[in-house]
Amino acid sequence: MSKPKLVISSGAGISAESGISTFRDAGGLWENYPVMEVCSADGFARNPRLVHDFYNARRKDLVGKEPNAAHKILAQLEEYFDVYVITQNVDDLHERAGSSKILHLHGELMKMRSIAHPDYVESLDMEHLETSPETLGKNGDLMRPHIVFFQETVPNMELAQEWVNEADIFVVIGTSLNVYPAAGLLHSVRPGVPIFYIDPNPANIAIDSPKVTVIKAKATEGLKILQEILMKAIENTQQP
């Protein structure tokens, strides 16, 4: 018998518990950088070296961080569910925790891609974490961070919507539901599909919706609660 399809939409809140900084809590600054200078297409065009330096620092910081209990629970749930993780996060903590199906909406910190040929992407390794405006890929192209900057489209959005539309259970974790187009994934859930929303400060759009079960907690605590709910549901379906 096939496993139920459990689709997760994760945001900054799940990585924050591993010590990953989030710029939306920093008043327009991210580690003292003006956000639009280091996270926008215009910023990259104006000063690519600043943007490369910023992401080099983020990579070095990420190397010292570890997946937390929330990441690990999602990986463990693959024993009972067909788990698909759609994440707004650019870190690789879901991968390192053991999740097998992950879609990064906003890019991946540990990768770089060609400026001239955007479909050409290379992974960075622990010994080569720094890039610069002069960095060349193995194909000879100048490279940039594999990040979806502000002012750029989100290339994986259509696939994300397909995953959500196929979900038997949909879970939102650690996001304000203010970042579009990711926040719009709620609208792709089929009628009648259970929706859970885990966040210590849940958005009113979810609190006011009778379709959404809100778990007001941080990601680690909230996923432990959700895991219990899901396992009880499985037990009930297995009883004669």
Side-chain angles (χ1 to χ4, degrees), residues 5 42 70 83 106 109 150 161 171 224 226-227 237-238:
K5 186 166 184 175
D42 285 347
V83 182
H106 297 156
L109 186 58
F150 289 117
Q161 291 168 336
V171 183
K224 289 175 183 176
L226 178 65
Q227 187 178 33
T237 60
Q238 292 176 343

Side-chain angles (χ1 to χ4, degrees), residues 8 10 71 74-75 78 83-105 107-108 111 156 159-160 163:
I8 309 295
S10 72
H71 295 105
L74 291 180
E78 291 194 8
V83 182
Y84 289 72
V85 178
I86 302 165
T87 185
Q88 298 175 47
N89 302 330
V90 298
D91 60 65
D92 61 353
L93 297 181
H94 282 299
E95 285 88 344
R96 285 198 262 151
S99 288
S100 61
K101 301 183 188 77
I102 305 161
L103 185 67
H104 286 269
L105 288 182
E108 297 178 64
K111 293 181 179 180
N156 285 328
L159 179 55
W163 282 12

Side-chain angles (χ1 to χ4, degrees), residues 17-48:
E17 292 189 72
S18 289
I20 303 292
S21 299
T22 63
F23 71 81
R24 287 189 176 270
D25 296 326
L29 296 175
W30 191 356
E31 300 293 326
N32 296 318
Y33 290 85
V35 169
M36 293 305 290
E37 291 302 311
V38 293
C39 300
S40 71
D42 285 347
F44 184 72
R46 280 192 300 269
N47 193 342

Side-chain angles (χ1 to χ4, degrees), residues 114-169:
S114 165
I115 294 173
H117 305 96
D119 291 335
Y120 181 79
V121 178
E122 289 183 14
S123 295
L124 297 163
D125 58 43
M126 295 300 181
E127 295 180 2
H128 302 91
L129 295 175
E130 294 194 11
T131 61
S132 76
E134 294 79 33
T135 297
L136 299 179
K138 294 175 183 177
N139 68 345
D141 285 357
L142 286 171
M143 306 297 280
R144 55 162 279 179
H146 185 42
I147 299 293
V148 179
F149 294 138
F150 289 117
Q151 303 164 323
E152 295 180 331
T153 59
V154 180
N156 285 328
M157 197 62 207
E158 186 174 338
L159 179 55
Q161 291 168 336
E162 290 177 11
W163 282 12
V164 174
N165 185 250
E166 296 168 354
D168 296 307
I169 304 166

Side-chain angles (χ1 to χ4, degrees), residues 212-226:
V212 180
T213 299
V214 176
I215 300 174
K216 192 174 181 179
K218 290 184 177 181
T220 50
E221 178 188 351
L223 265 169
K224 289 175 183 176
I225 294 170
L226 178 65

Side-chain angles (χ1 to χ4, degrees), residues 15 46 60 63 67 82 92 107 120 123 143 147 166-167 174 179 181 204 209 222 229:
S15 293
R46 280 192 300 269
K60 291 178 182 177
V63 169
D82 192 11
D92 61 353
Y120 181 79
S123 295
M143 306 297 280
I147 299 293
E166 296 168 354
V179 180
N204 289 334
S209 173
I229 293 171

